[in-house]
C-alpha cells in the first residue's frame, strides 16, 4: 500500500468522525431550540390562564 493511499484512508476516517460529531452537535442545538420554544409557549399560556383566574376582578375595583 502506498503512502498516499494510507493518508487518504486516514483522512476519510477523520472526516467521517468529524461529520458525525458536527451532526450530533447540530441536532442537539436544534433540539434545545425546539424545547425552548415549547417551554416559552406553555409558560405564556399558563401565565395568561393564571392571570385571568387570579386577577380577573382587579379592573372592576
Amino acid at each position: 500500500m502506498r503512502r498516499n493511499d494510507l493518508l487518504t484512508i486516514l483522512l476519510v476516517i477523520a472526516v467521517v468522525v468529524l461529520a458525525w460529531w458536527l451532526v450530533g452537535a447540530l441536532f442537539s442545538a436544534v433540539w434545545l431550540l425546539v424545547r425552548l420554544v415549547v417551554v416559552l409557549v406553555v409558560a405564556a399560556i399558563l401565565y395568561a390562564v393564571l392571570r385571568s383566574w387570579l386577577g380577573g376582578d382587579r379592573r372592576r375595583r
Side-chain angles (χ1 to χ4, degrees):
M1 188 180 291
R2 294 188 324 224
R3 185 171 183 251
N4 280 344
D5 293 340
L6 183 60
L7 286 177
T8 300
I9 292 170
L10 291 176
L11 185 62
V12 167
I13 291 171
V15 167
V16 168
V17 169
L18 183 62
W20 189 278
W21 182 81
L22 285 174
V23 168
L26 179 67
F27 280 150
S28 293
V30 169
W31 177 241
L32 179 66
L33 185 63
V34 168
R35 285 181 63 184
L36 182 62
V37 168
V38 169
V39 166
L40 289 176
V41 168
V42 170
I45 291 170
L46 285 175
Y47 177 77
V49 167
L50 288 175
R51 185 171 179 181
S52 68
W53 183 55
L54 294 175
D57 293 334
R58 290 185 181 172
R59 292 182 184 169
R60 297 180 191 166
R61 290 182 184 180

